[in-house]
Amino acid sequence: MRGSSAALPAGAADKMAAPMQLSCWGGDWGLPSLHPECLTVMAYAKFSGAPVTVNTVNNSWRAPKEDLPVLVSEDIVISQPAKILNFLRKQKYNADYDLSAKQGADTLAYIALLEEKLLPALLHTFWIEAENYCSVTKPWFASKIAFPLSLYLPGKMSREALNRILLTKGGPPLYSLTEVEAQIYRDAKECLNLLSKRLGTAQFFFGDTPTTLDAFVFGFLAPIYKVCFPRVQLQEHLKQLPNLCRFCDDILTCYFRLTVSGYSPAGQDTADANLQKLTQLVNKESNLIEKMDDNLRKSPQHPPRKLTTLKLAAGGEESSPMSRLSP
């Protein structure tokens, strides 16, 4: 069975099932994380059924925030999405188990396309576009970082984003920043169109089961789709491609239990706790009703009758698959 350790020796199964700690930037606007790379790893963990405990960065010094996401398993520390996903595959949590060799090659090609064509525009939208950076990105990330690092780290992340854009897009014939901006948004819109055409009416990119490619596409698209920026040209184009929007909404709903409007993971924890309390209350009331029913049966002036016992059970998430591919 995919994602299962039932056939393994007890010791190996226990080792595989050991929980792993994933440090990530937190979420907002209905997203479990605002950070594309964190979203990618979080989605893959959901798809593959990996037993990952997510720890979101709060206003503290403990996490290496500029290097997130970071996965810790026993004494192993891993950063960078590709390395984290490879590690999860080695632990038998692989979302690409059923892919053919051609589909594996297509996955690598589309991930390269995302990084070349869409990532620069995503970085520009968050970190370079002045109005977006000053009103949304900088204050949001600064609120998650302890003072005085909060005064420095957002600016450092912005400079790194600009350097990454110029490294890939700043050579001839594009010399000015204005020319670079125009080109990266043209490339990003072309990439979105290609993704939309490739997805078509399917639920996921390789059928009805999410894979590595779906994790990467979700990680790149969801922040563009959900974050409320004052400058939204890329978001406007994405919203003209309803199948990509539906793709993001389906993953949020099915795998992160977030509605289209969204609520925070903390809100989900509260909802789960309330559901558990309600289940316990209903079961207690059911037991009380059964006892009352027994008393009524024993009473000579009342004929026997049977009351239905109410029971609630919280639904669980499905585990996703495992496989052979390493991006």
Side-chain angles (χ1 to χ4, degrees), residues 109-110 112-114 116-118 186-201 205 213 217 221 237-238 241 243-244:
Y110 274 100
L113 178 71
L114 287 168
E116 179 185 355
K117 300 291 188 181
L118 188 57
R186 282 195 297 268
D187 288 347
K189 291 174 182 179
E190 178 185 356
C191 180
L192 291 176
N193 292 340
L194 289 173
L195 290 172
S196 177
K197 183 177 180 180
R198 175 64 182 80
L199 180 62
T201 59
F205 280 89
L213 179 57
V217 173
L221 293 189
H237 187 82
L238 175 58
L241 305 170
N243 61 338
L244 293 182

Side-chain angles (χ1 to χ4, degrees), residues 121-308:
L122 178 58
L123 292 173
H124 189 277
T125 298
F126 268 81
W127 296 102
I128 311 303
E129 171 58 55
E131 193 172 354
N132 290 349
Y133 175 73
C134 293
S135 63
V136 177
T137 308
K138 181 180 179 180
W140 190 91
F141 279 87
S143 70
K144 308 300 178 183
I145 307 167
F147 179 86
L149 191 60
S150 59
L151 302 178
Y152 164 75
L153 190 56
K156 178 176 181 287
M157 296 171 73
S158 177
R159 291 189 295 273
E160 289 175 348
L162 178 58
N163 289 338
R164 187 167 181 176
I165 291 172
L166 294 178
L167 181 65
T168 57
K169 300 292 184 179
L174 304 175
Y175 292 100
S176 72
L177 187 57
T178 301
E179 291 175 319
V180 171
E181 290 176 6
Q183 183 62 50
I184 64 176
Y185 281 103
R186 282 195 297 268
D187 288 347
K189 291 174 182 179
E190 178 185 356
C191 180
L192 291 176
N193 292 340
L194 289 173
L195 290 172
S196 177
K197 183 177 180 180
R198 175 64 182 80
L199 180 62
T201 59
Q203 184 177 10
F204 301 108
F205 280 89
F206 294 113
D208 58 1
T209 302
T211 64
T212 296
L213 179 57
D214 298 284
F216 272 90
V217 173
F218 173 73
F220 280 66
L221 293 189
I224 299 172
Y225 177 40
K226 289 293 187 178
V227 178
C228 296
F229 285 119
R231 300 292 297 273
V232 292
Q233 62 166 309
L234 198 57
Q235 184 182 83
E236 289 175 346
H237 187 82
L238 175 58
K239 288 185 175 181
Q240 294 173 15
L241 305 170
N243 61 338
L244 293 182
C245 297
R246 185 266 310 157
F247 169 83
C248 293
D249 287 332
D250 284 353
I251 290 176
L252 288 170
T253 302
C254 296
Y255 291 92
F256 294 96
R257 290 181 287 185
L258 298 172
T259 63
V260 173
S261 59
Y263 49 84
S264 69
Q268 178 60 43
D269 292 342
T270 301
D272 289 344
N274 290 338
L275 178 59
Q276 185 178 9
K277 290 178 181 179
L278 178 60
T279 302
Q280 294 172 349
L281 178 61
V282 171
N283 286 333
K284 286 180 180 180
E285 291 180 347
S286 297
N287 293 333
L288 179 60
I289 291 172
E290 287 179 345
K291 290 180 180 179
M292 293 174 62
D293 190 34
D294 288 339
N295 292 334
L296 288 172
R297 287 195 189 100
K298 295 175 183 178
S299 175
Q301 64 268 31
H302 293 286
R305 61 192 180 90
K306 184 177 181 180
L307 298 180
T308 303

